[in-house]
Amino acid sequence: KKGSNSRERQRIKVARVYEKITNSRLNHIHNITTQIVRDNQMICVEDLSVANMMKNHNLAKSISDCSWSEFLRQLKYKSEWNERNLIQIDKFFPSSKTCNKCKFVNQDLTLTDREWVCPVCGAELDRDINASENILEQGLIIYNLKNSGCGMQSESKQKREEALPLGEPTNHETQGSLVLG
């Protein structure tokens, strides 16, 4: 019955289970983002519109379960904190539809097509792997454009380079890059 003591006890039990699940998911996201930022100097991600994707009732539960927005929020602040490069690719960049070999854009590709063959070069492409390679390439282009302009450096980078003796490798020369797409 509503308002009974038994119902209140059950409500508290259910709330504790949901709190444990929430804490477990947040801990997992913290661990993953910390490892990604620690292991990579440059991280390239696609700037997805998560709120609009949640409007699709077929995808909404899966998207909310994996907490994309929280994952990206943590990745941003941790990369700034650890002086890592986080490059966001525009959400309208056709990462899945572009052949990473010859740059042909397949406009006929649908969300159900997980693998496709490029009609120009004949390459057999997995949709997700192809997208990640395109995101990395686009991220490197954006990074190079940002850093080739007027030759200005951030204060922290300039101080770090002044503190290191010549010939010693910096972190970005010894660590890799990661692509999330």
Side-chain angles (χ1 to χ4, degrees):
K1 279 182 152 180
K2 286 189 177 182
S4 68
N5 289 337
S6 180
R7 184 180 177 112
E8 181 62 19
R9 280 194 304 271
Q10 293 303 315
R11 187 193 66 76
I12 290 171
K13 283 182 182 179
V14 170
R16 284 186 184 139
V17 168
Y18 278 114
E19 182 181 21
K20 186 175 181 178
I21 291 169
T22 302
N23 291 340
S24 176
R25 285 181 176 167
L26 281 174
N27 182 48
H28 184 68
I29 291 173
H30 270 294
N31 291 338
I32 289 174
T33 54
T34 300
Q35 181 182 2
I36 289 171
V37 170
R38 187 181 335 119
D39 294 347
N40 300 286
Q41 184 63 28
M42 184 168 74
I43 304 158
C44 300
V45 294
E46 196 169 1
D47 184 22
L48 298 174
S49 178
V50 177
N52 287 339
M53 293 172 74
M54 292 288 288
K55 293 176 184 174
N56 181 345
H57 69 279
N58 294 326
L59 299 173
K61 183 161 176 36
S62 298
I63 292 170
S64 63
D65 278 349
C66 64
S67 305
W68 282 354
S69 296
E70 177 64 16
F71 179 81
L72 189 58
R73 185 192 71 77
Q74 287 186 22
L75 207 54
K76 284 179 184 177
Y77 91 78
K78 288 178 183 183
S79 61
E80 284 179 16
W81 194 0
N82 292 295
E83 296 180 351
R84 303 293 197 241
N85 298 308
L86 179 69
I87 311 269
Q88 289 187 294
I89 308 303
D90 186 50
K91 60 185 160 195
F92 297 112
F93 175 70
S95 59
S96 298
K97 296 181 177 187
T98 305
C99 173
N100 63 357
K101 310 282 189 246
C102 68
K103 306 304 176 217
F104 171 77
V105 179
N106 186 354
Q107 296 296 342
D108 299 331
L109 199 64
T110 63
L111 192 57
T112 57
D113 299 329
R114 303 315 300 167
E115 294 177 355
W116 58 284
V117 177
C118 178
V120 175
C121 68
E124 294 180 13
L125 304 165
D126 177 84
R127 180 186 184 98
D128 297 329
I129 294 171
N130 180 53
S132 66
E133 290 174 359
N134 286 328
I135 290 169
L136 174 61
E137 187 175 327
Q138 189 69 14
L140 290 171
I141 290 170
I142 291 171
Y143 177 77
N144 289 332
L145 286 175
K146 283 183 180 178
N147 294 326
S148 67
C150 59
M152 293 179 62
Q153 298 180 15
S154 68
E155 285 183 37
S156 60
K157 184 177 177 184
Q158 191 172 3
K159 287 177 185 174
R160 187 172 55 243
E161 288 181 357
E162 289 172 359
L164 282 175
L166 290 175
E168 288 199 18
T170 59
N171 278 349
H172 70 275
E173 293 171 338
T174 58
Q175 293 182 332
S177 299
L178 179 73
V179 179
L180 301 172

